[in-house]
């Protein structure tokens, strides 16, 4: 089953450099490599179109797994066991993460 794990985040004020360093060199590589993800990439907000979310950064993780809940459980267990590098440079008060499974076919230009 193909899935996307998405995370909308922002750094704590004054901790931007530390946040980006952790996210780019620790967090993304650890998740991708430890859990066999197909890849991950970060994006910076270019323009707000609707809504009032204050997060400036988006990470999208490409996942193929048979059991979405088993994957989330494994990530949670690794985090609790200290196997993932943590950082308090991220503003956890605004963080939004969700796991999506494919729904429908991909639309491409005709």
């Amino acid at each position: 089953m193909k899935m996307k794990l998405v995370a909308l985040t922002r750094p704590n004020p004054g901790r931007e450099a530390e946040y980006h360093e952790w996210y780019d060199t620790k967090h993304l590589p650890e998740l991708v490599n430890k859990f066999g993800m197909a890849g991950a990439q970060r994006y910076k907000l270019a323009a707000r179109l609707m809504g009032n979310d204050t997060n400036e950064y988006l990470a999208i993780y490409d996942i193929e797994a048979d059991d979405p809940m088993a994957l989330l459980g494994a990530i949670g267990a690794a985090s609790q066991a200290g196997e993932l590098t943590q950082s308090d440079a991220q503003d956890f008060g605004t963080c939004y993460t969700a796991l999506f499974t494919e729904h429908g076919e991909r639309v491409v230009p005709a």
Side-chain angles (χ1 to χ4, degrees):
M1 175 182 316
K2 291 184 180 180
M3 298 174 270
K4 301 285 187 188
L5 177 65
V6 299
L8 291 163
T9 61
R10 71 178 186 189
N12 278 317
R15 311 261 321 262
E16 291 83 2
E18 181 183 349
Y19 161 83
H20 292 300
E21 172 73 16
W22 165 76
Y23 222 118
D24 294 337
T25 67
K26 301 283 191 255
H27 191 62
L28 288 183
E30 286 178 356
L31 287 179
V32 168
N33 292 309
K34 185 166 186 66
F35 301 101
M37 296 179 183
Q41 188 170 5
R42 293 181 66 213
Y43 300 85
K44 184 176 185 339
L45 179 67
R48 283 188 174 80
L49 304 177
M50 290 179 59
N52 58 4
D53 189 289
T54 59
N55 292 298
E56 301 171 72
Y57 295 94
L58 166 69
I60 300 176
Y61 303 82
D62 301 311
I63 301 166
E64 287 193 37
D66 294 329
D67 184 350
M69 299 318 290
L71 173 70
L72 293 178
I75 293 171
S79 181
Q80 289 293 328
E83 297 171 6
L84 300 175
T85 305
Q86 303 297 320
S87 173
D88 61 358
Q90 177 178 305
D91 181 349
F92 286 99
T94 65
C95 179
Y96 169 82
T97 58
L99 181 65
F100 293 86
T101 59
E102 281 189 327
H103 181 80
E105 296 296 318
R106 181 171 170 79
V107 176
V108 297

